[in-house]
Amino acid sequence: MSDCPCRYCLQPFQPSRFRPDQLVCRSDCQRRRRRDYHRRKIEADPVYAQVVRDSRRKWCQAHPDYQKNYWQTHPQAAQCNRQRQWQRDQKRRVQNLVKNNLAVARKPHTAEPKGAN
Ligand SMILES: [Zn+2]
């Protein structure tokens, strides 16, 4: 058996003797592999994406207070989430400003009235 590098952490590892074609090493990297597969599958397969949406909707309907309870029982996570949301909002604001400035910069060229002189 030869050690080959893991696709994710690039560390050499010994594939399982039950899965000699294994490309990813241990549980953390396996989790990343499954998450990547899931994301790619959602983008590529609309039926799969719909099944995932339906499943999430059903779960949310069965557990309506879950998210509210989670934020109340995990104040650190709530604070962290608030900060990340603030950062996303700032980024969106900057992007909108850039878009608006570009629109203003283009306006004199595009909005020139014909035959005004
Ligand atoms: Zn790995």
Side-chain angles (χ1 to χ4, degrees), residues 31-53:
R31 223 172 284 138
R32 276 178 66 188
R33 179 185 64 80
R34 273 183 231 113
R35 194 173 49 222
D36 287 351
Y37 169 81
H38 184 65
R39 282 182 183 152
R40 261 183 277 125
K41 185 81 175 162
I42 283 177
E43 282 172 18
D45 185 344
V47 174
Y48 182 86
Q50 187 60 48
V51 168
V52 169
R53 273 196 299 272

Side-chain angles (χ1 to χ4, degrees), residues 5-13 23-30 32:
C6 167
R7 270 187 180 178
Y8 288 98
C9 65
L10 305 176
Q11 298 297 312
F13 73 101
L23 296 172
V24 177
C25 72
R26 54 181 196 279
S27 63
D28 286 352
C29 294
Q30 290 291 342
R32 276 178 66 188

